[in-house]
Amino acid sequence: MLPMHNVQAQPSSTTGSNSPLNFYGDGFVLLQHGAVIHGFIKPQADSVTVVMDKGKQVTLVKKQILFIGPTMESLYKYQTRAIRKWGTGEHWHLAQWCIQNGMLDQAIEHYLELEKQAADNPKFKQLDLQLKQALLADESVRRAMAEQG
């Protein structure tokens, strides 16, 4: 994964009940390193427990967490709002993150920006292949292609 430049996460107090880290219910956790965990979220004083499928659970220290939200879209919006200056690094990171997390429409947006700025970069060709593979693996895309004939 490429490093993000000019990105500053907004610090959030973990004491107030309005803190995003005090989210309770079914939702998504964005970890500091970009991974996402989905499940039923139960905040505690200094940690957050996520109960996942089949009763598996994980307890995370709050400093491991960037953001908690009700949808993947909310995690994506958090990341885009945190970017102060957009460049190719930010678009690379978010295109990759979106592909990994099944947000193909958003990945395409970042891909198109990169096409304008870095189409001759070998990494762009790699991203092009990754995006095409993800699109071909997506059931709704395959259905639409079949309907088109």
Side-chain angles (χ1 to χ4, degrees):
M1 180 157 53
L2 295 167
M4 290 180 65
H5 303 287
N6 303 317
V7 176
Q8 297 174 354
Q10 301 300 312
S12 59
S13 164
T14 57
T15 56
S17 62
N18 291 333
S19 165
L21 300 187
N22 286 327
F23 180 94
Y24 181 87
D26 189 52
F28 296 82
V29 178
L30 176 61
L31 300 176
Q32 291 284 348
H33 57 78
V36 175
I37 300 173
H38 174 243
F40 193 87
I41 297 152
K42 299 190 281 189
Q44 281 101 36
D46 296 324
S47 64
V48 172
T49 297
V50 183
V51 181
M52 298 169 285
D53 287 342
K54 298 180 174 89
K56 292 181 184 175
Q57 67 180 40
V58 62
T59 299
L60 305 160
V61 179
K62 285 187 177 179
K63 67 181 178 184
Q64 295 176 284
I65 301 169
L66 266 180
F67 186 76
I68 301 173
T71 63
M72 282 295 294
E73 181 70 23
S74 66
L75 273 55
Y76 172 76
K77 285 182 179 173
Y78 168 82
Q79 292 183 86
T80 59
R81 282 193 305 264
I83 295 173
R84 296 286 171 246
K85 187 175 189 299
W86 285 89
T88 55
E90 291 73 24
H91 288 295
W92 288 116
H93 167 77
L94 283 170
Q96 292 281 341
W97 186 87
C98 289
I99 290 169
Q100 290 168 1
N101 290 288
M103 300 183 76
L104 299 181
D105 288 344
Q106 292 85 345
I108 290 169
E109 290 175 31
H110 295 289
Y111 170 88
L112 292 173
E113 276 302 313
L114 285 166
E115 189 175 40
K116 294 177 200 170
Q117 300 173 25
D120 56 342
N121 188 314
K123 290 181 183 174
F124 179 76
K125 291 181 182 11
Q126 179 185 0
L127 179 66
D128 182 70
L129 180 61
Q130 285 178 295
L131 184 56
K132 285 177 182 171
Q133 288 172 335
L135 287 167
L136 289 172
D138 185 86
E139 184 60 36
S140 61
V141 172
R142 285 203 315 265
R143 266 196 314 270
M145 288 172 63
E147 289 170 8
Q148 295 286 322

